[in-house]
Amino acid sequence: MSTNLLSTSAATGFGGVIQEYLWNWENQQLRVVYETLGKGSPLLLLPSFSTVSTRLEMGELAKLLAPNFQVLALDWPGFGESSRPSLNYRPEIYQQFLEDFVKAIFNIPVTAIAAGHAASYVLQLAVKQPAAFSRILLLAPTWRGPLPTMGASQQIAGMVRELVRSPILGQALYKLNTTQSFLSFMYRRHVFTDAAKVTPSFIENKWHTTQQPGARFASAAFVTGNLDAVREQSDFLKLVQSLTIPLMVVIGESSPPKSREEMNALAALPGVKSVVISGSLGLHEEYPTVVLEAFQDFLFS
């Protein structure tokens, strides 16, 4: 495992130093792209899992934090500009990746800010290795993928996943679910709250992310619940109850009802700091300044 600098022409970032981390999984080397900005105590930004997942969704927040921290944001394996091989993407991959990455990159406990589905993975590592993180911030945390949230059984979700993974039909189904009109609909429905921010150029950039070679494999795993690191709400809450470090949760007041219920249950646990602000599941990208204002006391305490 090693790290290398990437030229700005080889990757698109938010103004930081772009590097790659070469990581091995089951005798296959994966290239993971990450970006570092600022100086100071280390702070790890983990984007949410989604069809359009990329570290750039954390870009504006990273720039706001950079005057006080050395901020690092990454593209998860299978997403963004990282390698996208046709693996059977499942929690074990991301659990091991995050553990190895944190151990390789940081030599002191790091503050972690995790959005959406990244929450479970950070919490699991924090319980397993309490010295890995100094504090954790969860932004609109989720633990259950879209199809299971809609009520699909594991059997149905598995069938959908295998269909999308198939060579010809899978590519066609994936393209139908990543058209610019569909992405715009989904953003307006439960990701952003200000429709004026869902501009054609914004959606076009998201669409380009979805069209990279191999993009459908990890995306299908997320949508069908195969990246759910826990299967029950009680297991998710047990992770939080097992923590020995400070935790804060930022909740979007317009989050989808089921997701909002899960977030409220988390926020109700003893010792968990929480705040409700404008936004939905993409609040960290839509309202980065509001997000920073909401948690800066916790961050600097």
Side-chain angles (χ1 to χ4, degrees), residues 163-164 166-178 216:
L163 274 177
V164 177
S166 63
I168 298 175
L169 179 59
Q171 291 176 345
L173 287 172
Y174 179 75
K175 285 188 177 296
L176 284 175
N177 282 276
T178 54
R216 74 183 191 276

Side-chain angles (χ1 to χ4, degrees), residues 50-52 146-147 150 160 164 172-192 198-200 202-204 206-208 210-211 219-220 222-223:
S50 72
T51 301
V52 295
L147 272 187
M150 293 167 59
V160 172
V164 177
L173 287 172
Y174 179 75
K175 285 188 177 296
L176 284 175
N177 282 276
T178 54
T179 62
Q180 294 190 35
S181 59
F182 184 75
L183 292 177
S184 179
F185 168 73
M186 294 305 289
Y187 260 87
R188 294 167 187 267
R189 185 180 182 186
H190 61 235
V191 183
F192 277 19
V198 188
T199 63
F202 176 86
I203 291 299
E204 184 176 7
K206 297 295 182 182
W207 177 79
H208 280 298
T210 68
Q211 301 306 299
S219 175
F222 163 71
V223 170

Side-chain angles (χ1 to χ4, degrees), residues 43 65 69 110-114 122-123 133-139 240 243-250 271-275 290-301:
L43 194 154
L65 290 163
F69 297 91
V110 59
T111 294
I113 300 181
V122 168
L123 292 173
F133 303 113
S134 56
R135 66 191 64 210
I136 295 173
L137 275 155
L138 303 181
L139 308 178
V240 175
L243 280 183
T244 58
I245 60 174
L247 173 69
M248 183 173 181
V249 181
V250 180
V272 176
K273 296 181 181 296
S274 65
V275 62
V290 178
V291 169
L292 177 59
E293 290 174 352
F295 67 59
Q296 62 183 357
D297 288 345
F298 174 79
L299 201 60
F300 290 101
S301 64

Side-chain angles (χ1 to χ4, degrees), residues 77-89:
F79 296 96
E81 292 179 316
S82 294
S83 296
R84 301 185 183 205
S86 57
L87 299 176
N88 174 23
Y89 289 95

Side-chain angles (χ1 to χ4, degrees), residues 238-258:
K238 284 177 184 177
L239 288 173
V240 175
Q241 292 169 322
S242 300
L243 280 183
T244 58
I245 60 174
L247 173 69
M248 183 173 181
V249 181
V250 180
I251 300 170
E253 63 182 357
S254 300
S255 299
K258 286 187 178 180

